[in-house]
Structures are given as structure tokens and as C-alpha cells.
Amino acid sequence: KEENLQVKNLEKQLDAMRGNIAVSLAKNYDNTLAVVKELRAKMGQTQSTLGSLPSQERQIVDLKRDQKIKQSLYLLLLEKREETAVMLALASDTAMLPRMASSCFSRFFTWRFSSLAPLISCSLLTATSL
């Protein structure tokens, strides 16, 4: 009978160990399922991010193109402004030039003809008398 008691005690211990092992395996299985679920969610997020990369890249390319266009337009407008400023400066200088030239030439010709008038009149008189 004692043997039977020892065997029964050992069987109870084995049954308890089997139960503990089954519970431990079930917990490990549940933990593994939770990890797999979490990894699948992360994989979905990663795939979503990778899927949106082409559209984000397109947006970046569009923004760079817009920036380049605006920069060249700005440079063109800046160049035109400088050209206009130079043209206005030249126009004001050119407008002053004829006035200055006309006054200089009129003074020159007035002085020149007034000093040559007696000479011209003498040469005309001499030419007519010949």
C-alpha cells in the first residue's frame, strides 16, 4: 500500500506539473500571438508609409519646381528693375544732352559766325566785284 501511496503522490505531482506546463504553454502561446499581432500592425504601418512615399516625393519635386520657378521669376524681375533703372538714368542723361548740346552749339556757332561775319562779307564783296 505504501508503494501505491508513493505512486499516487508522484502521479499527483506529475498531474500538477502537467497542468503547470499546459498553463505555461498557453500563456506563451497567447504572448506569441500578441507579439505577432503587434508585428503585423507595425508591418502594416510600414507598408502604408512606403506606399505614401511616391506621393510625398512627387510633392517635394513639385515644391522644388515651384521654388525654382519663383526664384527665376524673382531674378528676372530684379534684372528688369535694374534695366529699367539704367534706362531711366540714361534717358534723363540723354534728355539733358540735347539741351546741353544745343546750348553749346548755339554758343559755338554764334561766336564762330559773329567772328567770321566781317570776313564772309568781305569775301562776298570781293567775289561780286570780280
Side-chain angles (χ1 to χ4, degrees):
K1 257 187 162 179
E2 284 183 24
E3 276 184 34
N4 284 341
L5 283 177
Q6 285 181 348
V7 171
K8 286 182 183 180
N9 282 338
L10 287 175
E11 283 182 9
K12 284 182 186 178
Q13 285 177 353
L14 284 175
D15 286 338
M17 288 172 116
R18 283 186 192 121
N20 288 339
I21 290 173
V23 168
S24 175
L25 284 175
K27 285 182 181 178
N28 284 337
Y29 182 75
D30 290 342
N31 287 340
T32 304
L33 285 178
V35 168
V36 167
K37 184 179 177 182
E38 198 175 303
L39 287 175
R40 284 186 178 154
K42 285 183 181 179
M43 188 171 75
Q45 289 174 346
T46 304
Q47 286 177 341
S48 169
T49 303
L50 287 175
S52 69
L53 282 179
S55 65
Q56 289 176 352
E57 185 178 10
R58 238 179 284 119
Q59 288 175 345
I60 289 172
V61 167
D62 289 344
L63 286 174
K64 283 183 179 180
R65 186 181 315 118
D66 288 348
Q67 182 182 11
K68 198 174 215 178
I69 289 170
K70 287 177 184 176
Q71 184 178 8
S72 16
L73 181 62
Y74 176 76
L75 290 175
L76 176 73
L77 290 174
L78 190 62
E79 183 180 323
K80 290 295 179 186
R81 186 175 76 180
E82 289 174 358
E83 286 177 8
T84 305
V86 167
M87 288 177 68
L88 286 174
L90 285 176
S92 66
D93 287 348
T94 316
M96 289 177 64
L97 232 174
R99 279 185 256 137
M100 290 173 52
S102 66
S103 66
C104 287
F105 285 128
S106 65
R107 283 187 208 143
F108 173 75
F109 284 120
T110 307
W111 172 80
R112 189 60 114 171
F113 285 122
S114 65
S115 63
L116 293 177
L119 184 62
I120 292 173
S121 62
C122 286
S123 64
L124 285 175
L125 286 174
T126 340
T128 52
S129 61
L130 289 176

